[in-house]
Amino acid sequence: MPVQYPFSAVLGCAPDDLDPMGLALVLTTISPEIGGVLVRGEKGTAKSTAVRALAAVLPEIDVYDGDRFSSDPDDPGATSPDGPFAEEARRTRPVRLVELPVGATEDRVLGSLHLERALSSGQVEYEPGLLARAHRGLLYVDEVNLLHDHLVDLLLDAAAMGRSTVERDGISVEHDARFILVGTMNPEEGELRPQLLDRFGLTVEIAAPRDPVQRADVVRRRMRFDTDPAGFVAEHAPVEADLTRRIAAARDRLTKAHLDERALLTIAQVCAGFEVDGLRADIVMARTALAHAVWHGRTEVTREDIRQAALLALPHRRRRNPFDAPGIDEDLLDQLLDEDPPPPPPPPGDDGPDSGDGPGSGPDSRSDDGPATQPEGSPPSTESDPSSPGADSSEPTRSESAPHTEPGEQSADDAPSPPPGSAAPDTPGQVIGASAPYRPRLLTVTGVGEGSDGRRSRAIAQRGRRVGARPGSNGSLHLVETLKAAAGHQGPPASGPRRVELRSADLRVAVREGREANLVLFCVDASGSMAARRRMTQVKTAVLSLLLDAYRRRDKVGLITFRGSAASTDLPPTHSVEIAARRLEELPAGGRTPLAEGLLEATEVLLRERVRDPHLRPLLVVVTDGRATGGRDAVARSLQAADVVARLGVSTVVVDGEAGPFRLGLARDLAGRLGAEHLAVDQVDATALTSAVSDSLGRGDGSRVAPASRRSVGAA
């Protein structure tokens, strides 16, 4: 077994001065009910090393020899499907660290029928999964943001309930599954959904130190470990032993710790002040504050305990939409902690002091039921209500810098564009913001793929409805088809019952049709012909809505823009949709329209991604009004580039950004050349399209809405 890098050496500090990552990991081992830790950070910041080293400093546990479910001999309510056990079978072993691979299947996580024994002897026996192995230990998921959502839900549910129930393949098993869940992730590779973020008890953001002295110290320690692993571990053994003793003592002290009414009301006041959803944050903060107190040898929760609990439990619960970055305002936190919490509720039957004639009961006073009354006809005050429409907001409106035009007026941005093929002078780019995203139409790739599980296009996948069977043993067993294959080589009928003879060639696994994730590559026209304020706002809102849809469907996304005289890949294909949204928000508009360069840049990106992952099917979304004004023979070159893209055979959608009563229809012509679906920018909105259909049917005038292409199979 390889020597593990010491936990204390990763942190590089004493137990009394843990960094946020070390503190979060220690607190959740003291009180596993906190709900686990999510460690977010850039690559190369020792996230995985720290988690793997944590198991070595945890106190050993008592188990029964031969118990695959690690039931606790000291817990009278603990049960094991392998039990009962004799007291003589009791032994002590180190805590396990169980790693869950990103590509694990549901059967491997939950456990399933022991296939070999079922086929060889006909016995129905349960083979425990990773949840059973991780009971009373650590379950570690590296790159948890790349784990399929249904597996993350399954893990978090088991961590919250403390039990795992398996009802499948003719078996029914329930066992304890209390473990410390630790996930690590690099945000550049994609985010977890806010709903899943909220299920982790604590989260920490880490980054490599920028101080050269600290960086050199980290490198020095690592090189010493690589040179003499055993000696390095022995050098840190006293600190590791001290950590183990302190964790064990803190666990014992936790049963005596007390959270008084004032501390509980302060926690509630902090959570309410940060407007977190639900009550999970309050519960996690209370448990974390208690763990922090006992870690420091106290049984009473202090202001500092609550502050540290808020810094660990609230940042990831502040997100209001998938593109918000986790974070917490420490100044606001200190302000909330310094305020006196509301008085505790009176005991039952005590109505409290008479408030009918006392101070503060007048009509001009402000009560807990709302703002103070104001003179009739005066405008409502917004000074004390940050949620009111007139209140000052800390986030400026992204379109404040754009000039205002009255209806019927024409701004400089709405000036007529030059005719196709004519040159337009380059103009300085201006940034125009998007409106609030909406629910877009579902754009899919034609055919049936074999990509990774997702939510966009049809595919042969691990999950979904069963559509057939194929030979093999890698997958979910299709018992009926296996028996059918075996029936062909059975001997003559016997007078009594006999065992079915099965060969390895008889095995059949289920073929399932589900949904896959795709590469959604956006190729966005940011030229002057698209720079009209209303038009660019529509375009950015449509792209932002499609990005949000790609985020929910676990797609990979890329962003290409073209303006002036060239095209650029602003975001190579990645799972980090948040970065694409930021690049889109900062995208300036203006200049000529190098349409050919944009299409050729998209071709190069698609060809590279096809080599990297042949199973990842792309969906190209070209957002343009179809005008080509970049350079000599711009129109002819754009048509040639469209032919190059068409020969790739990828599913393509052209989102037409042209607006106004007089339209040239160039984007529609481009779509025909590409063999693509053509959508007006206002047709991307699924709600608007549904309303148009409903209005048409309601009028009964026979008017029709243009049918969607095969690639658009419905609303999201």
Side-chain angles (χ1 to χ4, degrees):
M1 183 176 179
V3 179
Q4 181 63 53
Y5 195 83
F7 184 72
S8 57
V10 177
L11 304 179
C13 58
D16 289 324
D17 191 25
L18 297 177
D19 66 359
M21 178 176 66
L23 181 62
L25 292 174
V26 166
L27 294 183
T28 197
T29 60
I30 295 173
S31 177
E33 292 81 7
I34 287 173
V37 180
L38 175 66
V39 183
R40 298 162 41 94
E42 57 195 25
K43 51 187 176 293
T45 50
K47 301 186 297 294
S48 301
T49 304
V51 176
R52 294 189 177 100
L54 177 63
V57 301
L58 297 182
E60 293 187 338
I61 60 174
D62 290 339
V63 296
Y64 288 116
D65 200 13
D67 182 10
R68 297 173 298 170
F69 299 87
S70 302
S71 57
D72 187 356
D74 296 324
D75 183 2
T79 59
S80 170
D82 288 343
F85 302 96
E87 186 63 25
E88 296 77 19
R90 182 168 178 156
R91 66 181 180 88
T92 300
R93 67 162 175 81
V95 170
R96 284 181 184 149
L97 172 69
V98 178
E99 297 193 37
L100 174 64
V102 171
T105 63
E106 190 172 330
D107 290 349
R108 185 71 186 96
V109 176
L110 288 176
S112 62
L113 177 69
H114 197 299
L115 188 59
E116 180 181 353
R117 294 184 182 178
L119 295 179
S120 61
S121 61
Q123 296 180 354
V124 178
E125 182 177 335
Y126 172 68
E127 184 175 13
L130 295 178
L131 293 184
R133 182 171 175 78
H135 177 49
R136 302 175 65 202
L138 291 169
L139 182 61
Y140 173 47
V141 187
D142 192 15
E143 305 297 348
V144 65
N145 51 325
L146 303 183
L147 194 67
H148 295 311
D149 286 350
H150 74 286
L151 290 182
V152 177
D153 284 328
L154 187 153
L155 291 179
L156 295 173
D157 286 340
M161 300 298 296
R163 297 191 67 78
S164 175
T165 303
V166 182
E167 300 281 352
R168 56 170 49 183
D169 299 328
I171 57 178
S172 177
V173 174
E174 185 175 5
H175 63 84
D176 293 332
R178 294 189 299 273
F179 49 83
I180 300 168
L181 178 64
V182 182
T184 57
M185 59 174 283
N186 181 356
E188 294 180 357
E189 298 174 346
E191 285 282 1
L192 275 173
R193 291 186 289 116
Q195 295 87 339
L196 299 181
L197 270 176
D198 182 65
R199 298 295 298 276
F200 278 94
L202 309 179
T203 185
V204 289
E205 296 270 350
I206 62 172
R210 298 297 182 252
D211 181 11
V213 176
Q214 293 181 353
R215 296 174 72 97
D217 184 50
V218 172
V219 175
R220 189 182 302 112
R221 291 199 304 269
R222 183 69 210 191
M223 294 182 69
R224 287 174 52 201
F225 173 78
D226 293 340
T227 302
D228 183 13
F232 188 81
V233 170
E235 178 184 338
H236 286 79
V239 181
E240 298 281 285
D242 183 43
L243 276 171
T244 303
R245 286 192 296 269
R246 285 196 59 174
I247 292 174
R251 287 178 175 176
D252 294 338
R253 199 178 295 115
L254 187 62
T255 59
K256 307 178 185 68
H258 175 61
L259 186 70
D260 60 29
E261 191 68 23
R262 181 181 178 85
L264 186 58
L265 288 172
T266 300
I267 290 173
Q269 179 172 279
V270 170
C271 293
F274 279 104
E275 300 179 350
V276 295
D277 296 331
L279 293 173
R280 184 176 286 120
D282 304 62
I283 298 173
V284 171
M285 270 192 64
R287 289 171 174 167
T288 306
L290 284 168
H292 189 268
V294 299
W295 171 247
H296 288 280
R298 300 187 301 270
T299 56
E300 296 288 337
V301 171
T302 65
R303 177 188 185 278
E304 183 59 25
D305 298 325
I306 299 175
R307 189 179 193 278
Q308 288 295 329
L311 292 175
L312 295 174
L314 295 186
H316 60 301
R317 294 184 167 89
R318 297 274 290 117
R319 299 181 72 181
R320 286 295 178 267
N321 65 70
F323 298 146
D324 289 343
I328 188 171
D329 185 348
E330 295 194 34
D331 292 335
L332 176 59
L333 174 60
D334 291 331
Q335 179 183 341
L336 292 169
L337 289 172
D338 290 337
E339 292 179 1
D340 290 332
D350 184 4
D351 295 333
D354 184 13
S355 59
D357 301 325
S361 61
D364 295 331
S365 64
R366 181 182 180 92
S367 68
D368 292 338
D369 296 330
T373 58
Q374 295 179 335
E376 184 177 356
S378 62
S381 171
T382 59
E383 293 178 354
S384 59
D385 186 5
S387 63
S388 60
D392 183 23
S393 174
S394 60
E395 181 180 356
T397 303
R398 287 175 289 184
S399 58
E400 285 177 349
S401 60
H404 173 71
T405 55
E406 296 295 336
E409 293 183 356
Q410 185 180 52
S411 69
D413 298 330
D414 290 317
S417 301
S422 64
D426 289 337
T427 58
Q430 58 173 321
V431 177
I432 300 174
S435 301
Y438 46 72
R439 182 169 62 94
R441 298 172 64 177
L442 172 58
L443 305 176
T444 64
V445 177
T446 55
V448 179
E450 297 180 352
S452 59
D453 282 351
R455 299 178 179 178
R456 183 170 297 277
S457 305
R458 294 174 56 202
I460 300 300
Q462 295 291 332
R463 297 188 301 141
R465 63 187 183 94
R466 194 164 59 190
V467 295
R470 60 176 175 81
S473 58
N474 185 18
S476 177
L477 177 67
H478 197 308
L479 185 58
V480 174
E481 294 297 328
T482 298
L483 294 176
K484 284 183 179 180
H489 59 75
Q490 302 301 311
S495 57
R498 65 172 187 173
R499 181 181 302 171
V500 176
E501 295 181 5
L502 291 176
R503 303 172 182 173
S504 58
D506 299 331
L507 292 178
R508 298 292 186 271
V509 294
V511 176
R512 300 182 182 276
E513 183 179 297
R515 294 281 176 177
E516 68 175 357
N518 298 109
L519 165 62
V520 183
L521 181 61
F522 294 92
C523 187
V524 181
D525 183 351
S527 63
S529 63
M530 299 282 288
R533 176 176 174 75
R534 181 176 180 273
R535 191 180 313 166
M536 199 61 191
T537 298
Q538 279 187 310
V539 167
K540 281 195 173 184
T541 303
V543 177
L544 183 65
S545 302
L546 291 171
L547 278 172
L548 182 61
D549 185 60
Y551 171 90
R552 290 168 175 157
R553 299 184 188 280
R554 311 300 292 169
D555 292 320
K556 201 173 183 181
V557 299
L559 179 63
I560 295 171
T561 61
F562 53 95
R563 61 183 291 265
S565 59
S568 63
T569 302
D570 292 343
L571 181 68
T574 176
H575 285 285
S576 183
V577 180
E578 292 76 10
I579 298 178
R582 289 197 297 268
R583 300 283 171 84
L584 176 71
E585 182 178 358
E586 300 164 358
L587 177 65
R592 301 184 182 185
T593 311
L595 179 57
E597 283 72 11
L599 294 176
L600 293 176
E601 182 74 12
T603 301
E604 293 182 7
V605 172
L606 292 172
L607 289 174
R608 285 197 301 267
E609 291 302 310
R610 181 176 290 179
V611 173
R612 290 176 180 173
D613 188 353
H615 296 296
L616 183 64
R617 298 193 298 160
L619 173 65
L620 176 62
V621 181
V622 182
V623 185
T624 181
D625 58 6
R627 308 186 187 197
T629 61
R632 181 180 300 177
D633 299 328
V635 174
R637 290 191 299 107
S638 65
L639 295 178
Q640 294 173 359
D643 292 338
V644 173
V645 175
R647 285 195 291 270
L648 294 178
V650 301
S651 296
T652 307
V653 177
V654 174
V655 178
D656 190 348
E658 191 174 30
F662 304 103
R663 306 188 183 188
L664 300 176
L666 298 177
R668 184 180 294 276
D669 295 340
L670 175 65
R673 193 90 177 194
L674 290 168
E677 176 185 359
H678 173 265
L679 282 178
V681 67
D682 54 0
Q683 290 180 321
V684 177
D685 188 346
T687 304
L689 181 66
T690 303
S691 300
V693 174
S694 300
D695 292 344
S696 175
L697 295 176
R699 288 193 303 267
D701 56 4
S703 58
R704 299 180 60 190
V705 177
S709 163
R710 289 178 299 168
R711 299 189 187 97
S712 181
V713 296

